[in-house]
Amino acid sequence: VQLQASGGGLVQAGESLRLSCAVSGGIFIIKSADWYRQAPGKQRELVASITRGGTTTYLDSLRGRFTISRDNAKNTVYLQMDSLKAEDTAVYYCNARGATADFDGLDYWGKGTQVTVSS
């Protein structure tokens, strides 16, 4: 089982991107998930979280510009990023907790997707 983070790219400041975090290679039901980011030379930081019931939390400085959501039918978590700024440039990672048919309490990280915002 792997988490696939996708949707990154190079955009101009003020534009938007939507990142996706999906499961591949097996059955893994996402219960809760987070998006993190890591900029060059900085520590990884938690950007947003979502529970299975849809409760969301955000890094305070990003509230209002970033929106985390999920589609349980597609077993996919999204991060909508609007009004992007140069300081949002980072590698974005998804982290999900959930279960397979045989095990619960599993935790997976996806490979990062690069977001670059030019000013």
Side-chain angles (χ1 to χ4, degrees):
V1 172
Q2 291 183 329
L3 286 183
Q4 300 284 349
S6 61
L10 172 63
V11 297
Q12 299 283 334
E15 294 183 340
S16 299
L17 280 174
R18 188 177 80 156
L19 307 183
S20 299
C21 178
V23 177
S24 66
I27 298 174
F28 173 71
I29 305 302
I30 295 174
K31 293 187 176 181
S32 60
D34 310 308
W35 284 99
Y36 288 79
R37 69 183 182 182
Q38 187 166 20
K42 295 187 177 181
Q43 290 187 331
R44 189 173 297 189
E45 63 180 356
L46 178 61
V47 171
S49 301
I50 190 165
T51 67
R52 181 154 182 85
T55 300
T56 58
T57 56
Y58 297 93
L59 183 65
D60 283 346
S61 61
L62 299 178
R63 193 180 302 274
R65 291 197 299 121
F66 285 20
T67 304
I68 189 171
S69 63
R70 65 187 300 156
D71 184 332
N72 288 336
K74 294 182 178 179
N75 202 30
T76 300
V77 177
Y78 304 98
L79 184 68
Q80 177 69 37
M81 306 185 293
D82 297 322
S83 303
L84 283 162
K85 304 177 181 179
E87 52 263 43
D88 295 320
T89 295
V91 178
Y92 285 72
Y93 300 88
C94 61
N95 172 236
R97 293 154 301 282
T100 64
D102 298 316
F103 300 99
D104 200 351
L106 299 175
D107 188 306
Y108 285 100
W109 284 86
K111 293 182 179 179
T113 184
Q114 176 71 47
V115 172
T116 303
V117 184
S118 63
S119 57

PDB file of all heavy atoms in Angstrom, residues 8 20 22 27 29 36 38 43 45 47 49 54 67-68 73-74 94 97 99 104 116:
ATOM      1  N   GLY A   8       1.135  18.920  -7.304  1.00  0.00           N
ATOM      2  CA  GLY A   8       2.063  20.028  -7.153  1.00  0.00           C
ATOM      3  C   GLY A   8       2.493  20.576  -8.501  1.00  0.00           C
ATOM      4  O   GLY A   8       2.172  20.018  -9.552  1.00  0.00           O
ATOM      5  N   SER A  20      -3.765  16.225  -4.146  1.00  0.00           N
ATOM      6  CA  SER A  20      -4.544  15.028  -3.842  1.00  0.00           C
ATOM      7  C   SER A  20      -3.669  13.999  -3.152  1.00  0.00           C
ATOM      8  O   SER A  20      -2.471  13.900  -3.439  1.00  0.00           O
ATOM      9  CB  SER A  20      -5.105  14.423  -5.130  1.00  0.00           C
ATOM     10  OG  SER A  20      -5.968  15.318  -5.783  1.00  0.00           O
ATOM     11  N   ALA A  22      -4.014   9.953  -2.484  1.00  0.00           N
ATOM     12  CA  ALA A  22      -4.816   8.767  -2.765  1.00  0.00           C
ATOM     13  C   ALA A  22      -4.024   7.503  -2.448  1.00  0.00           C
ATOM     14  O   ALA A  22      -2.800   7.514  -2.388  1.00  0.00           O
ATOM     15  CB  ALA A  22      -5.238   8.769  -4.232  1.00  0.00           C
ATOM     16  N   ILE A  27      -5.744  -2.214  -0.390  1.00  0.00           N
ATOM     17  CA  ILE A  27      -6.895  -1.639   0.297  1.00  0.00           C
ATOM     18  C   ILE A  27      -6.441  -1.047   1.616  1.00  0.00           C
ATOM     19  O   ILE A  27      -5.911  -1.745   2.477  1.00  0.00           O
ATOM     20  CB  ILE A  27      -7.978  -2.699   0.546  1.00  0.00           C
ATOM     21  CG1 ILE A  27      -8.487  -3.246  -0.790  1.00  0.00           C
ATOM     22  CG2 ILE A  27      -9.125  -2.106   1.361  1.00  0.00           C
ATOM     23  CD1 ILE A  27      -9.455  -4.383  -0.648  1.00  0.00           C
ATOM     24  N   ILE A  29      -8.164   1.972   4.115  1.00  0.00           N
ATOM     25  CA  ILE A  29      -9.216   2.959   4.305  1.00  0.00           C
ATOM     26  C   ILE A  29      -8.686   4.098   5.173  1.00  0.00           C
ATOM     27  O   ILE A  29      -8.299   3.887   6.332  1.00  0.00           O
ATOM     28  CB  ILE A  29     -10.456   2.338   4.963  1.00  0.00           C
ATOM     29  CG1 ILE A  29     -10.942   1.142   4.150  1.00  0.00           C
ATOM     30  CG2 ILE A  29     -11.557   3.392   5.114  1.00  0.00           C
ATOM     31  CD1 ILE A  29     -11.280   1.466   2.716  1.00  0.00           C
ATOM     32  N   TYR A  36       1.429  17.965   5.496  1.00  0.00           N
ATOM     33  CA  TYR A  36       2.598  18.646   6.028  1.00  0.00           C
ATOM     34  C   TYR A  36       3.336  19.312   4.862  1.00  0.00           C
ATOM     35  O   TYR A  36       3.121  18.970   3.699  1.00  0.00           O
ATOM     36  CB  TYR A  36       3.564  17.648   6.679  1.00  0.00           C
ATOM     37  CG  TYR A  36       3.119  17.067   7.989  1.00  0.00           C
ATOM     38  CD1 TYR A  36       2.189  16.028   8.045  1.00  0.00           C
ATOM     39  CD2 TYR A  36       3.653  17.525   9.188  1.00  0.00           C
ATOM     40  CE1 TYR A  36       1.795  15.480   9.258  1.00  0.00           C
ATOM     41  CE2 TYR A  36       3.278  16.983  10.413  1.00  0.00           C
ATOM     42  CZ  TYR A  36       2.352  15.959  10.439  1.00  0.00           C
ATOM     43  OH  TYR A  36       1.967  15.423  11.633  1.00  0.00           O
ATOM     44  N   GLN A  38       7.454  20.984   3.923  1.00  0.00           N
ATOM     45  CA  GLN A  38       8.816  21.263   4.345  1.00  0.00           C
ATOM     46  C   GLN A  38       9.495  22.124   3.306  1.00  0.00           C
ATOM     47  O   GLN A  38       9.663  21.699   2.155  1.00  0.00           O
ATOM     48  CB  GLN A  38       9.603  19.970   4.568  1.00  0.00           C
ATOM     49  CG  GLN A  38      10.973  20.197   5.174  1.00  0.00           C
ATOM     50  CD  GLN A  38      11.585  18.921   5.702  1.00  0.00           C
ATOM     51  OE1 GLN A  38      11.195  17.812   5.324  1.00  0.00           O
ATOM     52  NE2 GLN A  38      12.565  19.060   6.596  1.00  0.00           N
ATOM     53  N   GLN A  43      12.104  23.109   9.133  1.00  0.00           N
ATOM     54  CA  GLN A  43      11.520  21.872   9.631  1.00  0.00           C
ATOM     55  C   GLN A  43      10.173  21.612   8.980  1.00  0.00           C
ATOM     56  O   GLN A  43       9.491  22.539   8.529  1.00  0.00           O
ATOM     57  CB  GLN A  43      11.346  21.967  11.155  1.00  0.00           C
ATOM     58  CG  GLN A  43      12.647  21.936  11.934  1.00  0.00           C
ATOM     59  CD  GLN A  43      12.433  21.854  13.434  1.00  0.00           C
ATOM     60  OE1 GLN A  43      11.411  22.330  13.952  1.00  0.00           O
ATOM     61  NE2 GLN A  43      13.371  21.260  14.139  1.00  0.00           N
ATOM     62  N   GLU A  45       6.383  21.107   8.812  1.00  0.00           N
ATOM     63  CA  GLU A  45       5.309  21.650   9.640  1.00  0.00           C
ATOM     64  C   GLU A  45       3.959  21.106   9.195  1.00  0.00           C
ATOM     65  O   GLU A  45       3.734  20.829   8.023  1.00  0.00           O
ATOM     66  CB  GLU A  45       5.300  23.181   9.592  1.00  0.00           C
ATOM     67  CG  GLU A  45       5.023  23.797   8.241  1.00  0.00           C
ATOM     68  CD  GLU A  45       5.025  25.321   8.265  1.00  0.00           C
ATOM     69  OE1 GLU A  45       5.166  25.920   9.360  1.00  0.00           O
ATOM     70  OE2 GLU A  45       4.882  25.937   7.184  1.00  0.00           O
ATOM     71  N   VAL A  47       0.335  21.389   8.202  1.00  0.00           N
ATOM     72  CA  VAL A  47      -0.444  22.396   7.489  1.00  0.00           C
ATOM     73  C   VAL A  47      -1.926  22.286   7.822  1.00  0.00           C
ATOM     74  O   VAL A  47      -2.585  23.287   8.132  1.00  0.00           O
ATOM     75  CB  VAL A  47      -0.239  22.252   5.972  1.00  0.00           C
ATOM     76  CG1 VAL A  47      -1.195  23.143   5.194  1.00  0.00           C
ATOM     77  CG2 VAL A  47       1.208  22.544   5.601  1.00  0.00           C
ATOM     78  N   SER A  49      -5.287  19.217   9.001  1.00  0.00           N
ATOM     79  CA  SER A  49      -5.698  17.873   9.385  1.00  0.00           C
ATOM     80  C   SER A  49      -7.185  17.703   9.163  1.00  0.00           C
ATOM     81  O   SER A  49      -7.944  18.685   9.225  1.00  0.00           O
ATOM     82  CB  SER A  49      -5.389  17.614  10.871  1.00  0.00           C
ATOM     83  OG  SER A  49      -4.017  17.751  11.151  1.00  0.00           O
ATOM     84  N   GLY A  54     -14.772  14.550   9.168  1.00  0.00           N
ATOM     85  CA  GLY A  54     -14.682  15.795   8.417  1.00  0.00           C
ATOM     86  C   GLY A  54     -14.271  17.009   9.230  1.00  0.00           C
ATOM     87  O   GLY A  54     -14.220  18.116   8.692  1.00  0.00           O
ATOM     88  N   THR A  67      -7.623  24.808   2.253  1.00  0.00           N
ATOM     89  CA  THR A  67      -8.779  24.024   2.672  1.00  0.00           C
ATOM     90  C   THR A  67      -8.498  22.545   2.481  1.00  0.00           C
ATOM     91  O   THR A  67      -8.189  22.119   1.361  1.00  0.00           O
ATOM     92  CB  THR A  67     -10.029  24.403   1.865  1.00  0.00           C
ATOM     93  OG1 THR A  67     -10.270  25.811   1.974  1.00  0.00           O
ATOM     94  CG2 THR A  67     -11.243  23.639   2.366  1.00  0.00           C
ATOM     95  N   ILE A  68      -8.606  21.795   3.553  1.00  0.00           N
ATOM     96  CA  ILE A  68      -8.458  20.346   3.469  1.00  0.00           C
ATOM     97  C   ILE A  68      -9.844  19.728   3.371  1.00  0.00           C
ATOM     98  O   ILE A  68     -10.798  20.192   4.021  1.00  0.00           O
ATOM     99  CB  ILE A  68      -7.667  19.788   4.675  1.00  0.00           C
ATOM    100  CG1 ILE A  68      -7.315  18.317   4.479  1.00  0.00           C
ATOM    101  CG2 ILE A  68      -8.407  20.024   5.985  1.00  0.00           C
ATOM    102  CD1 ILE A  68      -6.357  17.766   5.531  1.00  0.00           C
ATOM    103  N   ALA A  73     -15.809   8.303  -0.651  1.00  0.00           N
ATOM    104  CA  ALA A  73     -16.120   7.340  -1.705  1.00  0.00           C
ATOM    105  C   ALA A  73     -14.883   7.045  -2.554  1.00  0.00           C
ATOM    106  O   ALA A  73     -14.705   5.928  -3.037  1.00  0.00           O
ATOM    107  CB  ALA A  73     -17.244   7.851  -2.582  1.00  0.00           C
ATOM    108  N   LYS A  74     -14.048   8.058  -2.729  1.00  0.00           N
ATOM    109  CA  LYS A  74     -12.818   7.879  -3.507  1.00  0.00           C
ATOM    110  C   LYS A  74     -11.621   7.589  -2.604  1.00  0.00           C
ATOM    111  O   LYS A  74     -10.513   7.383  -3.109  1.00  0.00           O
ATOM    112  CB  LYS A  74     -12.542   9.134  -4.340  1.00  0.00           C
ATOM    113  CG  LYS A  74     -13.583   9.386  -5.415  1.00  0.00           C
ATOM    114  CD  LYS A  74     -13.229  10.620  -6.237  1.00  0.00           C
ATOM    115  CE  LYS A  74     -14.252  10.841  -7.343  1.00  0.00           C
ATOM    116  NZ  LYS A  74     -13.936  12.047  -8.145  1.00  0.00           N
ATOM    117  N   CYS A  94       1.537  14.031   2.429  1.00  0.00           N
ATOM    118  CA  CYS A  94       0.333  13.607   3.125  1.00  0.00           C
ATOM    119  C   CYS A  94       0.683  12.452   4.064  1.00  0.00           C
ATOM    120  O   CYS A  94       1.561  11.638   3.786  1.00  0.00           O
ATOM    121  CB  CYS A  94      -0.777  13.217   2.170  1.00  0.00           C
ATOM    122  SG  CYS A  94      -0.421  11.848   1.078  1.00  0.00           S
ATOM    123  N   ARG A  97      -3.841   7.881   8.503  1.00  0.00           N
ATOM    124  CA  ARG A  97      -4.025   6.789   9.465  1.00  0.00           C
ATOM    125  C   ARG A  97      -5.318   6.087   9.107  1.00  0.00           C
ATOM    126  O   ARG A  97      -6.317   6.746   8.765  1.00  0.00           O
ATOM    127  CB  ARG A  97      -4.076   7.318  10.893  1.00  0.00           C
ATOM    128  CG  ARG A  97      -2.749   7.891  11.361  1.00  0.00           C
ATOM    129  CD  ARG A  97      -2.910   8.938  12.447  1.00  0.00           C
ATOM    130  NE  ARG A  97      -3.720  10.045  12.028  1.00  0.00           N
ATOM    131  CZ  ARG A  97      -3.279  11.032  11.235  1.00  0.00           C
ATOM    132  NH1 ARG A  97      -2.037  11.012  10.789  1.00  0.00           N
ATOM    133  NH2 ARG A  97      -4.103  12.019  10.899  1.00  0.00           N
ATOM    134  N   ALA A  99      -6.992   1.782   8.155  1.00  0.00           N
ATOM    135  CA  ALA A  99      -7.044   0.344   8.357  1.00  0.00           C
ATOM    136  C   ALA A  99      -7.112  -0.397   7.035  1.00  0.00           C
ATOM    137  O   ALA A  99      -7.629   0.113   6.034  1.00  0.00           O
ATOM    138  CB  ALA A  99      -8.265   0.000   9.194  1.00  0.00           C
ATOM    139  N   ASP A 104      -5.754  -2.464  11.919  1.00  0.00           N
ATOM    140  CA  ASP A 104      -6.199  -1.097  12.165  1.00  0.00           C
ATOM    141  C   ASP A 104      -5.036  -0.326  12.771  1.00  0.00           C
ATOM    142  O   ASP A 104      -4.024  -0.917  13.146  1.00  0.00           O
ATOM    143  CB  ASP A 104      -7.397  -1.093  13.113  1.00  0.00           C
ATOM    144  CG  ASP A 104      -8.190   0.191  13.034  1.00  0.00           C
ATOM    145  OD1 ASP A 104      -7.711   1.143  12.365  1.00  0.00           O
ATOM    146  OD2 ASP A 104      -9.268   0.272  13.627  1.00  0.00           O
ATOM    147  N   THR A 116       5.951  25.011  -6.061  1.00  0.00           N
ATOM    148  CA  THR A 116       6.837  26.166  -6.215  1.00  0.00           C
ATOM    149  C   THR A 116       5.996  27.357  -6.657  1.00  0.00           C
ATOM    150  O   THR A 116       5.280  27.280  -7.654  1.00  0.00           O
ATOM    151  CB  THR A 116       7.935  25.895  -7.246  1.00  0.00           C
ATOM    152  OG1 THR A 116       8.661  24.731  -6.859  1.00  0.00           O
ATOM    153  CG2 THR A 116       8.882  27.085  -7.344  1.00  0.00           C
TER     154      THR A 116
END
